[in-house]
Amino acid sequence: MTKAALMKHAFGSMARGLSLCALVTALVLPSDAGASETRGFVVSWFYPAMYATDADCPEGLNPKVEGLFERILKEEGKSPSEIAKLMENIPRNFDEIATNRGRINGKPVNVYLNPTSVPDPRIKIGQGKIGLGFNLDGKIGPSDFTDPETHEKGVDNQLSRILACFEATRGTPIRGLWPGMQWDAPRDTMPAWLIQISGIDDVKNDDDVSISFYRATAPILRNAKGDPQANMTFLVDTTPRYQNKVHGRIKDGMILSDVFEFFLAADPYIQPDFNFKKARVRLRIESNGTLNGYIGGYASVEGAYLGAAAGEAGEEAFSAVDVPGIYYALQRLADGDVDSKAGKRTTISATYRIDAVPAFFTTPKDKPEPQTASASPQ
Amino acid sequence: MGLWDMLNGNHGKRLLGAAFIGLAAVFLTPAIKAQTAVADTAQVVGGPVVMRRLTQHEYRNIIRDVFGPSIALTGRFEPDTRADELIAVGAGEATITASAFENYDRMAKGIAAQVLDDDHRDQYISCKPVDKRAADQKCARQFIESFGRFLFRRPLKENELAAYLKANADATALVHDFYAGLRVSLAGLLSAPQFLYRQEQTEPDNSGARRLTGYGMASRLSFLLWNSVPDNQLLNAAAKGELKDPQILTRQIDRMLASPRLEEGVRAFFEDMLAFDNFDSLDKDSELYPAFSRDVANDAREQTLRTIVDHLLSRNGDYRDLFTTGKTFLTPRLGTIYGVAVETPNGLVNEWTPYNIPAGRPQAGILTQASFLMLYSHPGRSSPTLRGKALREKILCQRVPDPPANVNFSLLEARGNEYRTARQRLDAHTSNPACAGCHKIMDPIGLALENFDTISGYRAAENGAPINASGRLDGINYTDAAGLGAAVHDNPQAPTCFVRRLYAYAVGRQATQGEGKWLDGELREQFSSDGYRVRGLLRRIALSPQFYRVTAEAR
């Protein structure tokens, strides 16, 4: 890209964001010299990647909140007339009864803090063969999917099986109600997530690019539609643990990463943090300048449970996602790291959808630029 | 001439509530007599005095300056009126209807209640009543005299003071609460025409003509330079008659020009000149332009005001450079509209930081800032016509006639016509000779700004067709918006217009014929020889005898 073209890009239509680092770098180059391009983005949506089909749940979906509450009331030993009375006002009655349905030594306890205080309700699990994600273990097993977009076989995404048969989590082609709400609710307070693709020489095919994930110091700015406003400038949080940088390549316009470990703090309402082991991403920069794609890896079982349980009864009533049922399913379907001491697996294969819009990054002037941060002050 | 004659005669049509009329009839007669006498004086360079209703900004500033920023205003203002491109001029024609008076009265009572509540009263009243349940004329007089002097911009006359003291005594006797009685008096001061209208009183000058009194001079100066009431020092100088002394007047003006409060005055003038009051009702189609928000609009308004204050006051820059300067201020939030990175120390969306527009960009000067581009556009699309009209009328003082009532848009709306750019649409529209005359003087200017959509986002093409931003302004050719800014910079009409507009703002009316000659001749020349420095122009106006001279000459 020539200097003139870059300037036009940077200060012209601005359909796409450009980091300050790339801009400054580009402007000092000879006008005809080729210059690598850097694109910055702020994450607008992040939620479990679901690919719902009619064949996913042959036994039907898990019950809606009415069915869930009725089952809980029966397990509580309520009489039919009591059940009928309590069912008349679920929003008012669900909270206390559902919260304290756990029993330890016969005494009621908070079920969200003590998910094993109730028997495994054996929630319905997805049985589909098509699913979004990556072949994380290099094997093709009976419980693996075939990705509908890449057609890759052996895709590991057990988390999607757990979520597949709840109406509030099924979301093809749009995000499910519950995960969408989970990401959206704290967006005005949670520091934004940032993605940077740097070293782009050819947006179609490039063997050597860098993909970085950062956390900003401030939340997104919403536009009039409630979506993150593009071209916002964010200050990068230079906390070393939040610097995720991985080598990647672009193949036919698809940005693919090497395997890396991903860690970013989120919000307790969603889950405190996301940690993917053996992670990889596939992303695409769309013609309108947005970035879309997926990150997959082995996610923390504990983190996934906290994500389901954090909203307690209010969220369980809203989504009808049976929280202890999720806990037991996570234990059963976890397919990642083994904690030999505890005798159980601590991670589960998962893939999350990423949508992002162009953004600019800067780093604080009073702090040294982190080694992995490619954004820099002007 | 009585009050009603004056209100319905020289100063437009005003409808007042009965209560207002009663108060006005008691207190205004001397001022009116003074103005009546002006009509008989000899013809000198100067102009008539205009009684101006306080603008919303002036009202707010006065309450803040007199009582402090903690006093909240509760109530609605009557909308400001714009005439001859300025609210400052429209204020001379603004009315107070019965319902508007109710709002002023409500606001006055709200202010009085806060000032005299248990938490605040000690900071405003230095004396204590002998008995809190009874009237204390001495203490009440001290309070009313002290605050009445600022609110009326002059000391209260004895008959005025007596009326407010009586109101205080009567109310106190009724409710057995000294402070409640004082609330009635303060609310009365704040509802009085002497407060709600800027009344500049006159006196004979040495030449047999008339001029503003010392208090009239102080008020005119402080509203021009600070957009608020005179401070204690200026009122003291007025009381001693010192403002008639050129040396002392110069010292006072230089003190005021050196005060940080000058920024308030300069902001107020440019807000009026650029019609920024229209931001209050500005809206865009959120489906088409979701990036637009009330916060973004406020930032856009503030960006231009910061640019102006920084350039004209902090840097003492050339007025004409406002149309070419690359130095401005941005927030990250506003940066999203321009599509540029805005680095701030704390990374907050609303954090202001200086920003230099890189050379070679099509943007330069305040005409390419979001405030102008947003304000003079339609909700769903840009408008070369509105932008061109605004530039002609607000920056060059060239009046564009209103469109005819029977404008025919059928050519544009007919099926099969594929006009992809605004230039193509306007070319088709102006094929009608009845439309062409006016559009020819507006559209070429506005088309230079077509690279910026209705919220000022940059675009190289419209509906897939490249945008041609070239044009010609009064003999100067340009190829883009930055070129238009340069053409305005070099247009001799721009500073001429500015001088006229600033003077009209200062006196609240269009210049008289005599003043016009002075403004277009001597003062315009001095503005030029001063390097088009606005602080210098303000000083020259404030020091000029014309500024205080009063005649009955019509426009």
Side-chain angles (χ1 to χ4, degrees), chain A residues 248-311:
Chain A
R249 62 205 174 281
I250 304 177
K251 189 177 177 187
D252 296 330
M254 187 70 78
I255 302 163
L256 304 164
S257 76
D258 294 346
V259 177
F260 68 116
E261 181 167 347
F262 174 96
F263 180 88
L264 269 184
D267 184 279
Y269 187 74
I270 309 167
Q271 66 183 59
D273 53 56
F274 284 87
N275 185 189
F276 297 111
K277 294 182 174 173
K278 297 181 182 173
R280 60 208 76 189
V281 299
R282 71 169 193 262
L283 302 162
R284 185 184 292 278
I285 300 172
E286 304 292 347
S287 57
N288 64 2
T290 60
L291 179 83
N292 305 310
Y294 302 92
I295 181 169
Y298 288 102
S300 159
V301 164
E302 186 183 339
Y305 174 69
L306 286 174

Side-chain angles (χ1 to χ4, degrees), chain B residues 192-264:
Chain B
Q194 296 93 326
F195 170 69
L196 295 173
Y197 277 93
R198 289 171 55 185
Q199 303 166 11
E200 297 165 328
Q201 298 193 4
T202 66
E203 62 188 10
D205 68 9
N206 298 332
S207 67
R210 295 194 74 85
R211 65 184 177 190
L212 296 182
T213 62
Y215 289 113
M217 292 172 74
S219 179
R220 189 171 276 194
L221 272 175
S222 69
F223 278 109
L224 170 63
L225 300 179
W226 292 349
N227 198 37
S228 186
V229 289
D231 64 359
N232 197 42
Q233 205 173 327
L234 194 58
L235 285 174
N236 285 342
K240 292 177 194 164
E242 291 177 347
L243 298 180
K244 311 286 165 51
D245 179 332
Q247 284 189 330
I248 295 178
L249 179 63
T250 304
R251 276 210 299 276
Q252 285 291 340
I253 289 168
D254 286 342
R255 177 181 73 86
M256 295 178 78
L257 287 168
S259 164
R261 296 178 69 185
L262 181 64
E263 178 179 334
E264 189 87 54

Side-chain angles (χ1 to χ4, degrees), chain A residues 11 14 223-224 229 232-233 377-378, chain B residues 290-291 339 341-343 349 361 458:
Chain A
F11 299 102
M14 276 299 163
N223 65 22
Q229 174 60 44
M232 180 65 186
T233 306
Q378 196 168 23
Chain B
V342 180
E343 184 188 359
V349 294
R361 264 209 88 175
Y458 184 86

Side-chain angles (χ1 to χ4, degrees), chain B residues 478-504:
Chain B
Y478 48 80
T479 57
D480 58 14
L484 172 66
V488 174
H489 176 282
D490 295 340
N491 192 318
Q493 185 58 27
T496 302
C497 174
F498 185 77
V499 171
R500 281 261 185 176
R501 209 42 54 88
L502 183 59
Y503 192 77

Side-chain angles (χ1 to χ4, degrees), chain A residues 7-14 18 20 217-225 229-235 360-365 376-378, chain B residues 286-293 332-333 335-349 355 358-363 458-460:
Chain A
M7 285 185 66
K8 189 175 177 187
H9 168 83
F11 299 102
S13 67
M14 276 299 163
L18 183 70
L20 285 170
T217 60
I220 58 154
L221 172 69
R222 287 187 194 260
N223 65 22
K225 290 183 175 177
Q229 174 60 44
N231 294 329
M232 180 65 186
T233 306
F234 293 95
L235 197 60
F360 300 102
F361 312 156
T362 64
T363 46
K365 276 185 171 164
S376 69
Q378 196 168 23
Chain B
S286 60
E287 197 58 40
L288 295 173
Y289 297 98
F292 178 85
S293 66
R333 178 167 54 206
T336 67
I337 301 290
Y338 292 115
V340 298
V342 180
E343 184 188 359
T344 56
N346 301 307
L348 303 175
V349 294
Y355 186 86
R361 264 209 88 175
Q363 283 175 319
Y458 184 86
R459 56 187 180 179

